[in-house]
Amino acid sequence: MKLVAFRVQNYKKVQDSGSVTVRDLTAFVGKNEAGKSALFRGLSKLNPFRWRKVRWAKRISTSALY
């Protein structure tokens, strides 16, 4: 299953995000406190991520990303 679009309504600071199309690369850009994180948190309520199932996440350091 692949996510192609979503919409968040009445969640924290987000009244209505409108339809957000998701592609292979999607960027969320905006000012601080604009509600970018609230979009992701609202979306995660549909399928919550469980960190304990992902063992590789512990091995990645931020220095490896630069």
Side-chain angles (χ1 to χ4, degrees), residues 46-64:
L46 296 175
N47 188 11
F49 184 74
R50 295 188 181 132
W51 281 101
R52 64 181 178 266
K53 288 187 175 182
V54 182
R55 294 181 183 163
W56 57 264
K58 295 178 184 176
R59 295 185 207 137
I60 297 175
S61 67
T62 54
S63 62

Side-chain angles (χ1 to χ4, degrees), residues 9-49:
Q9 293 178 301
N10 301 320
Y11 183 76
K12 295 194 178 192
K13 287 191 172 190
V14 181
Q15 295 297 318
D16 187 357
S17 68
S19 181
V20 178
T21 303
V22 178
R23 297 192 175 132
D24 290 339
L25 177 63
T26 303
F28 287 85
V29 180
K31 295 180 180 181
N32 291 345
E33 304 295 322
K36 298 179 299 291
S37 296
L39 280 176
F40 291 115
R41 287 187 187 110
L43 182 60
S44 73
K45 298 292 182 187
L46 296 175
N47 188 11
F49 184 74

